[in-house]
Amino acid sequence: MALSIKPQNSVIEQQRIIIKNKYGENLVGVLHETGSTKVIILCHGFSSNKESNINLSVADALTNQGISVFRFEFPGNGESEGTSEFGNCNKEADDLHSAVRYFSRMKRVIGGILGHSKGGNTVLIYASKYHDVPIVINVSGCYDMKKLTEQHLGKDFMERIKENGFIDVKDKEGNIKFRLTEESLLERLAIDMRAVCLSIAKDCRVFTVHGSEDDLVPVEDAFEFAKIIHNHKLHIVRGADHVFDNHQGELVEVVVKFIRESL
């Protein structure tokens, strides 16, 4: 289906929208309204928000192509109610479903969903559970949860977290970034991404984009997704880190191209 190009002098209206999830929490988002029937939903990563550089860059590029975009915040992030957790990808998939249902009730069509980092896992889990979106874009998502946890916390992470019931994760300066609870960690480790990927409908187009120099989620994870997902396309951005600093242009270009070709 061909998409009309937005006239250069048209104004994109940004609407603040509040959506109540199935748990009674208010989720806050921004709709970039172009008037298109289809909407692309953007999902941020762990401890991020709707104002992330990736969200803003992708939203700007898509609206320039006449495609409406909704970027929102999961519970406990930004303006949204609730608590942010390290391991609640399944709950966040349900939160995403609340957003999809909201637009469906508005007679809009969800053209695709995009998630960065933990959001990448969330959109894949969503596709494996709900089977109602045609396009899924996984940006820097994690395939091997245990390997990633060992990489950042050490191989003895289970022994350490059982001592106090939590681990304080610190930055390079020694400041506490967040407190990881045993419950949240076990929930994250229980996610079987292989099973998730195999449960995605074959007619759902999945696009994985990953930086070759990602220092948080190894680029090898992207190749694992490519091996398993049936209807899959892979793009490695050479030299890019986890958040695509200095490589936002290529990320946006390939994402927009994929969406335009798929809609």
Side-chain angles (χ1 to χ4, degrees):
M1 174 181 175
L3 291 170
S4 61
I5 302 299
K6 177 181 70 66
Q8 291 184 356
N9 61 351
S10 65
V11 177
I12 303 301
E13 181 183 0
Q14 293 190 25
Q15 304 172 5
R16 186 174 184 270
I17 293 175
I18 298 177
I19 298 171
K20 191 174 292 291
N21 66 10
K22 64 185 289 187
Y23 307 97
E25 299 162 329
N26 287 322
L27 309 180
V28 180
V30 173
L31 172 65
H32 297 244
E33 180 62 88
T34 69
S36 65
T37 301
K38 294 186 177 180
V39 178
I40 304 296
I41 299 181
L42 308 182
C43 302
H44 63 78
F46 176 66
S47 70
S48 185
N49 56 59
K50 64 181 183 297
E51 308 295 333
S52 72
N53 288 335
I54 289 177
N55 275 359
L56 295 175
S57 296
V58 171
D60 184 58
L62 287 174
T63 53
N64 279 330
Q65 297 295 311
I67 307 170
S68 296
V69 175
F70 181 64
R71 51 184 174 89
F72 79 107
E73 291 162 335
F74 291 112
N77 296 277
E79 299 179 80
S80 291
E81 296 177 348
T83 303
S84 175
E85 296 289 348
F86 180 72
N88 60 345
C89 290
N90 284 290
K91 179 179 181 295
E92 290 188 351
D94 292 337
D95 296 329
L96 176 55
H97 187 55
S98 297
V100 171
R101 291 185 62 196
Y102 173 88
F103 285 102
S104 295
R105 289 194 294 268
M106 298 295 109
K107 307 302 181 184
R108 306 295 286 269
V109 176
I110 302 304
I113 53 179
L114 177 151
H116 171 243
S117 194
K118 183 188 178 188
N121 290 100
T122 298
V123 295
L124 290 170
I125 291 170
Y126 181 93
S128 75
K129 292 177 66 174
Y130 291 105
H131 309 289
D132 59 359
V133 292
I135 302 170
V136 175
I137 302 175
N138 160 38
V139 181
S140 308
C142 173
Y143 179 80
D144 190 331
M145 298 295 178
K146 182 178 180 182
K147 182 178 179 181
L148 182 69
T149 303
E150 289 182 346
Q151 175 183 325
H152 293 283
L153 298 181
K155 292 186 179 297
D156 63 340
F157 67 88
M158 284 306 302
E159 289 81 1
R160 290 165 53 210
I161 204 166
K162 285 185 177 298
E163 289 181 8
N164 298 309
F166 65 87
I167 294 176
D168 284 333
V169 179
K170 302 179 180 180
D171 60 22
K172 295 179 180 179
E173 286 73 39
N175 301 310
I176 297 176
K177 295 169 59 179
F178 65 94
R179 174 162 289 183
L180 175 59
T181 65
E182 181 178 1
E183 179 183 5
S184 185
L185 175 61
L186 292 176
E187 186 176 13
R188 186 71 173 261
L189 292 173
I191 298 172
D192 182 349
M193 288 309 299
R194 176 180 173 80
V196 166
C197 292
L198 291 174
S199 298
I200 297 174
K202 293 183 179 181
D203 61 349
C204 178
R205 297 195 66 194
V206 180
F207 186 30
T208 292
V209 186
H210 213 107
S212 66
E213 304 306 313
D214 192 327
D215 57 351
L216 182 61
V217 180
V219 69
E220 288 78 15
D221 283 29
F223 293 102
E224 292 302 319
F225 286 123
K227 292 177 184 176
I228 297 171
I229 300 175
H230 297 290
N231 193 353
H232 186 271
K233 181 178 180 180
L234 173 64
H235 184 87
I236 303 299
V237 179
R238 300 298 171 188
D241 61 11
H242 188 65
V243 295
F244 295 85
D245 278 337
N246 304 316
H247 293 82
Q248 295 259 323
E250 183 175 347
L251 168 66
V252 169
E253 180 183 356
V254 297
V255 165
V256 172
K257 183 174 184 290
F258 179 80
I259 290 174
R260 284 185 60 86
E261 291 175 346
S262 302
L263 290 179

